[in-house]
Amino acid sequence: GGLTYAIFGAIHVLETLGCDKILIETVGTGQDEVEIASVADTILYVTTPSMGDEIQAMKAGAMEIGDIFVVNKADLAGKDKAVADLKAALGLGHSAGQAVKAWEPPVLATSAKTGEGIAELAKDLDGHWKHLGVSGEGRARLKRQHATELQFWIQRRVIKSALDRVTDKILEDMVLRKTDPASIGRKLLKA
């Protein structure tokens, strides 16, 4: 997947050190990258003008998980089109008769070079944090985060336990085609 099992350990270390805001960066918008939604409180989707990421985002599910959408490097040509494309794509997500989400994801343009949109982004981040607290969505996300952390912990322990029981005899039997990975895997997991 797009995340390592160690992500929660890193988060807990930073929380213990007193960090109240922790940024987690993922790269790309592959199908695996939507896993971040089960780890982070606020999902910030960042793209740049004229990169065509808007279409890729729709394919990969990022449009469904994003809480705030940012077109970064707004000092470059194509900013307005990228913002308009993202807004249009977000509008497509609401079908007739479907309840509108309580939080409407903003789309904004930012530029570190010129400072454009930075204050607005900070305001939207704070606004989303407040929304999580008053809407109950924050509690639901926290439960999902705990479920994901537990899943990562269990998966890692089960895999390690099973692999620790793989012997040279098992591997030799597989080489000689006396058994196969699925059969051995089932036996190891039953044990």
Side-chain angles (χ1 to χ4, degrees), residues 155-173:
Q155 284 175 331
R156 183 153 190 245
R157 295 321 181 275
V158 167
I159 290 169
K160 183 179 181 335
S161 175
L163 292 178
D164 284 349
R165 294 191 304 276
V166 175
T167 64
D168 189 62
K169 168 132 178 46
I170 289 172
L171 297 174
E172 189 64 32
D173 286 349

Side-chain angles (χ1 to χ4, degrees), residues 46-130:
V46 181
T47 188
T48 58
S50 304
M51 293 297 292
D53 286 347
E54 298 78 22
I55 303 301
Q56 182 63 22
M58 288 184 277
K59 290 179 185 175
M63 299 305 290
E64 288 80 23
I65 67 165
D67 297 306
I68 300 171
F69 293 83
V70 176
V71 176
N72 194 25
K73 299 185 181 184
D75 50 294
L76 300 178
K79 164 193 80 167
D80 294 334
K81 181 180 180 338
V83 168
D85 287 349
L86 281 172
K87 285 182 178 180
L90 284 168
L92 293 175
H94 300 294
S95 58
Q98 184 181 23
V100 177
K101 291 181 359 180
W103 173 260
E104 289 297 324
V107 178
L108 47 125
T110 62
S111 170
K113 186 175 182 179
T114 66
E116 177 185 346
I118 303 300
E120 292 86 355
L121 175 57
K123 181 181 170 196
D124 285 339
L125 287 166
D126 285 340
H128 187 257
W129 182 252
K130 289 174 186 165

